[in-house]
Structures are given as C-alpha cells and as structure tokens.
Amino acid sequence: MSTTVKDIMTTRVISVRKDTTFRDMAAALHEYRVSAFPVVDDDRKVIGVVSEADMLYKEALVDEPGVFGGILHRRDQAKARGITAGDLMTTGVVAVRPEDTVEHAARLMYDRGVKRLPVTDESGHLVGIISRADVLSVFDRTDGAIHHEIVNDVLLSEFTVDPKTLQVTVMDGIVTLSGRPETDELGRRIIQRVRHVQGVVAVRDRLDYPPPERPGDRYDVLANFPPD
C-alpha cells in the first residue's frame, strides 16, 4: 500500500480572493477553525497563501508604532499594515499534487516549516488541502495491516522471499525483522523498504547477515568443481 495525497486530503477548502478583507478572513478563521487560506484567482488557480501568522502582525503591532523603526523586516512591516489577502499573502506557493505520496508531502512540510499544503492539479487549480494531522493519520494503521503488507507485498511480491526464512513482528507500529537473508545486500534492501511502509514508526534490525561476498568467492567455488 502506498498512501497518496488524494487519500487523505480535504476537498472542501476554505479559500479567499486577493481582495478579501482582513476582517472577513479573521471571521472565517474563527468560524471554520483553519490556520491558513489558499488565495485563488478567478480560475481557481492558487496564487498565494495567507496564514494566521501573517495576520497576527496587525494585532501584535497595533499599539507599537515605534517598532517599525528597524526591528521588523520591510516585508513584515507591509504585512502589519495589510488590509486584504493580496497584501498579506505569501507568494511562491509550495503545493502538492493528488498523486504525490504522503511521504513527499511530509518532507515538504518539514523542509518549508508549514502546517498545511494546498493540493493542485496539473494546471495549478485548487482541488484540496492537507494538514500535518492528515499526514500523521497514516500512522493509525493496525499492527495486523502493517504485518500483512510486509509479509505479502514486500517479502513475497517484491523480493520473492519465503516469509518462513524471515520473522516479522509488529507492535505499536514498531517492526522487528529477524532471521537470515540470502545475502547481506538483500537484507539491507528489505530493511530499507520496510521503513517506507505506511504506518511503520520504527524498524528494529535483528537480521543475521551472512558475510558479504568477496569478488573472488564465486571463482573459488567454481574452481572446486571437477572438470567435465
């Protein structure tokens, strides 16, 4: 199983236009309990994002006119004076596609330090939104479901390994792999693949690795066979 953004995204998105007022956005934040708004144009293409952090400048600095002297960056000064979504929005939007993996979305959130990501189609039209909570929902899989995928999809289907040679246990999302893989390389590839199974919190490597094959090993073995 490979969960995609489409599987976890919210399709009913609260978006705003460039001319949406600060007051209307503040009311929508309270009513819909969201932390950010995608800003769209007339064709529903995403052109920016306004977060509650962008809006906080005005409240924080309303009685602090002297702060504008030099402590704040010019961009922050402009946001503190902003009255519409166009004034406050961050452009250069980081977005994901419905077919992207949840892992990719999580990496973007971490790298960019954002709580939500707009989901756009290939033309840039807004089709959904995902939050950190949505991404973390993949860890809600049962241990049984994780075990089934590792044994049937990973070991049997991908690596054609007899599950009887490797033991898989799953408890609270933590996978323990034991047994002896056919080769050192195969064992390490399996461990790496299991780490990417949806819902896996951690992998405990208890494999009994055979010694790595040296370049001359195969020749030595063949040399021991008598000639025909």
Side-chain angles (χ1 to χ4, degrees):
M1 186 190 80
S2 181
T3 303
T4 64
V5 168
K6 182 179 180 180
D7 299 321
I8 63 171
M9 72 182 188
T10 299
T11 55
R12 296 184 63 183
V13 188
I14 308 302
S15 61
V16 296
R17 303 294 180 92
K18 286 184 66 174
D19 58 356
T20 301
T21 66
F22 185 98
R23 177 173 292 180
D24 287 343
M25 287 188 291
L29 280 175
H30 177 74
E31 179 179 355
Y32 297 106
R33 303 296 181 185
V34 296
S35 61
F37 301 110
V39 184
V40 298
D41 62 15
D42 292 338
D43 294 324
R44 292 285 293 172
K45 289 187 176 181
V46 179
I47 58 175
V49 172
V50 175
S51 70
E52 57 188 359
D54 294 324
M55 299 177 66
L56 188 61
Y57 288 113
K58 184 176 293 294
E59 181 65 21
L61 301 174
V62 65
D63 294 322
E64 300 289 341
V67 175
F68 289 114
I71 296 178
L72 290 181
H73 190 275
R74 290 181 179 178
R75 178 179 60 85
D76 299 336
Q77 294 179 24
K79 287 190 176 185
R81 298 191 182 101
I83 59 175
T84 67
D87 299 329
L88 295 167
M89 71 180 186
T90 298
T91 56
V93 181
V94 180
V96 289
R97 299 283 182 83
E99 63 272 15
D100 286 340
T101 65
V102 173
E103 185 179 39
H104 172 69
R107 190 178 300 114
L108 275 180
M109 286 182 173
Y110 175 79
D111 290 343
R112 303 302 178 94
V114 295
K115 296 180 179 179
R116 291 172 178 262
L117 289 172
V119 185
T120 59
D121 62 18
E122 59 185 11
S123 300
H125 298 104
L126 182 67
V127 295
I129 196 165
I130 60 169
S131 67
R132 290 178 178 176
D134 296 326
V135 169
L136 292 173
S137 68
V138 301
F139 289 101
D140 197 31
R141 295 185 74 192
T142 66
D143 291 341
I146 295 171
H147 183 276
H148 183 274
E149 180 177 347
I150 293 172
V151 171
N152 292 278
D153 297 346
V154 177
L155 297 183
L156 277 173
S157 298
E158 292 186 33
F159 292 98
T160 61
V161 170
D162 184 351
K164 294 179 181 179
T165 63
L166 299 180
Q167 292 74 54
V168 180
T169 59
V170 185
M171 182 173 293
D172 297 328
I174 301 173
V175 179
T176 302
L177 285 169
S178 57
R180 189 177 180 89
E182 185 176 344
T183 65
D184 176 87
E185 180 186 1
L186 177 61
R188 299 191 187 282
R189 286 172 56 203
I190 290 173
I191 290 292
Q192 185 63 24
R193 175 63 181 86
V194 170
R195 287 196 175 103
H196 292 278
V197 171
Q198 298 291 343
V200 170
V201 176
V203 178
R204 291 174 176 163
D205 184 354
R206 300 291 186 268
L207 295 179
D208 178 21
Y209 290 95
E213 186 177 282
R214 295 173 300 178
D217 287 347
R218 181 172 177 81
Y219 175 78
D220 293 340
V221 171
L222 293 174
N224 289 328
F225 283 92
D228 294 335

